[in-house]
Amino acid sequence: MPNNRIVAEQRILNLKRRFVREPSFHKDYIAFMNDLIASGFVERVPDTDLKRSDDASSAVEGDVFGLNGQIEHKLAFLRKHVPRETSLVLVGHSIGCYIILDMMKRNPELKIIKAIMLFPTIERMAQTPQGKVMTPVLCHLRYVAYLPLFLLSLLPEGFKACLTKLVLRVIRSMDHTVVQPTVGLLSGDCAANAMYMGGQEMKKVLERDNMTIEKNLEKLIFYYGATDHWCPVQYYHDIKQDFPRGDFRLCDKGFHHAFVLDAGREVAKMVFEWIKGDLRT
């Protein structure tokens, strides 16, 4: 099984908040769990087991939601669950592209045969048009947003879903399957963790890692947006000039940086066409 510690911790936090909101539910929950324990269907986890941590969790224990912690978590997952001889095709989006490059740098023995970089935020994030707006918010003002986010997380799920649809209605061809995951992101803890990592991205994603790109150039496909405020077209021209032998593509289909909101299927089909040859090897 994959390491789901982050998911489990998020769920227990959500459960604790519900206990506070609904004391009767808390009472019923305790009674139900005591019945299960008494019947022998479940048993308490020994304290010694609670103190143990596997490789994937211990690798990021100090800063699990930070940029470095996320990179180490992915590497630890591969070490623990994927045989070393396995060929890998990695697909990254936005900061995920930075994470892939750093994984290549930290563990060059990974058998990566292809890495797809979609709308890559791999350099000078704070200097981009969107970065200039978000850097003060994510680095200096995010604590101000925690209280309204917490209050928002207390709203009924149905109301949050309606609110999400209202905000996203400006997207003409929105994929409605994204509504529920977006509602999940409105959890106070989830939003706070995302803002924390966003702040780290503004501070740490500075110069492009040209050395790692050069070493892995034949494995990389970069796909830049034509109107991407997180990754301006100039970045596409710069990297293409620096690496004339590289595979750099500029979107001509009108896809946005957050393409999952309205063009997830189209992008998935496009990427599959790029990698299907590698998948047969």
Side-chain angles (χ1 to χ4, degrees):
M1 291 293 289
N3 175 40
N4 291 325
R5 176 170 176 169
I6 295 175
V7 176
E9 289 176 343
Q10 184 62 55
R11 288 180 176 174
I12 197 65
L13 287 171
N14 292 338
L15 184 61
K16 287 173 68 176
R17 285 198 296 270
R18 187 175 178 186
F19 286 161
V20 174
R21 296 197 307 267
E22 304 177 37
S24 60
F25 172 77
H26 188 193
K27 182 179 178 181
D28 292 341
Y29 187 93
I30 292 175
F32 174 71
M33 292 305 299
N34 285 336
D35 287 343
L36 289 178
I37 294 171
S39 65
F41 292 128
V42 300
E43 61 182 20
R44 295 183 182 276
V45 179
D47 291 341
T48 54
D49 288 352
L50 289 173
K51 295 178 181 178
R52 293 188 315 189
S53 61
D54 60 22
D55 292 340
S57 61
S58 61
V60 294
E61 187 175 1
D63 191 14
V64 64
F65 296 111
L67 187 54
N68 178 67
Q70 288 295 299
I71 295 169
E72 285 299 323
H73 180 271
K74 276 59 178 176
L75 289 171
F77 175 86
L78 291 175
R79 286 194 298 267
K80 186 174 180 63
H81 300 287
V82 179
R84 293 185 62 180
E85 66 276 9
T86 302
S87 296
L88 302 173
V89 175
L90 304 181
V91 180
H93 167 249
S94 194
I95 195 62
C97 303
Y98 179 92
I99 291 175
I100 287 177
L101 286 178
D102 219 291
M103 290 170 64
M104 289 177 156
K105 179 180 180 179
R106 298 186 192 195
N107 191 351
E109 295 182 359
L110 287 174
K111 194 177 178 182
I112 298 173
I113 59 176
K114 189 67 70 177
I116 309 299
M117 312 297 222
L118 301 173
F119 303 90
T121 54
I122 58 174
E123 59 175 307
R124 299 173 284 169
M125 282 190 70
Q127 298 178 31
T128 65
Q130 195 68 25
K132 291 177 181 178
V133 174
M134 295 304 297
T135 296
V137 176
L138 295 173
C139 296
H140 308 295
L141 301 175
R142 72 174 189 272
Y143 298 104
V144 178
Y146 285 173
L147 179 57
L149 284 172
F150 171 73
L151 295 176
L152 186 62
S153 71
L154 299 179
L155 296 174
E157 295 298 306
F159 184 85
K160 287 191 287 187
C162 291
L163 185 62
T164 300
K165 292 178 182 178
L166 182 65
V167 172
L168 297 179
R169 76 183 189 280
V170 295
I171 303 174
R172 294 181 180 178
S173 56
M174 184 188 74
D175 183 350
H176 290 278
T177 61
V178 306
V179 173
Q180 199 55 45
T182 304
V183 171
L185 293 175
L186 294 179
S187 156
D189 296 306
C190 186
N193 292 330
M195 293 180 70
Y196 167 68
M197 182 168 169
Q200 288 206 340
E201 293 169 22
M202 298 303 109
K203 295 177 181 177
K204 295 186 176 183
V205 180
L206 303 172
E207 298 304 316
R208 188 197 320 135
D209 187 355
N210 289 337
M211 184 175 296
T212 301
I213 293 174
E214 179 66 37
K215 288 181 178 179
N216 298 278
L217 192 60
E218 73 284 355
K219 304 175 183 178
L220 301 170
I221 297 177
F222 290 85
Y223 189 74
Y224 284 80
T227 57
D228 190 347
H229 296 300
W230 279 113
C231 190
V233 174
Q234 186 59 47
Y235 287 12
Y236 160 78
H237 292 299
D238 291 345
I239 195 172
K240 190 174 181 180
Q241 181 177 355
D242 291 342
F243 298 97
R245 296 183 298 105
D247 191 343
F248 304 99
R249 310 180 186 190
L250 186 63
C251 176
D252 60 358
K253 304 179 186 299
F255 295 145
H256 302 292
H257 187 89
F259 63 84
V260 293
L261 296 177
D262 60 354
R265 293 179 184 274
E266 291 84 348
V267 173
K269 291 178 182 178
M270 178 182 70
V271 171
F272 174 72
E273 290 299 318
W274 297 347
I275 66 174
K276 63 181 180 181
D278 298 292
L279 296 177
R280 296 193 183 103
T281 59

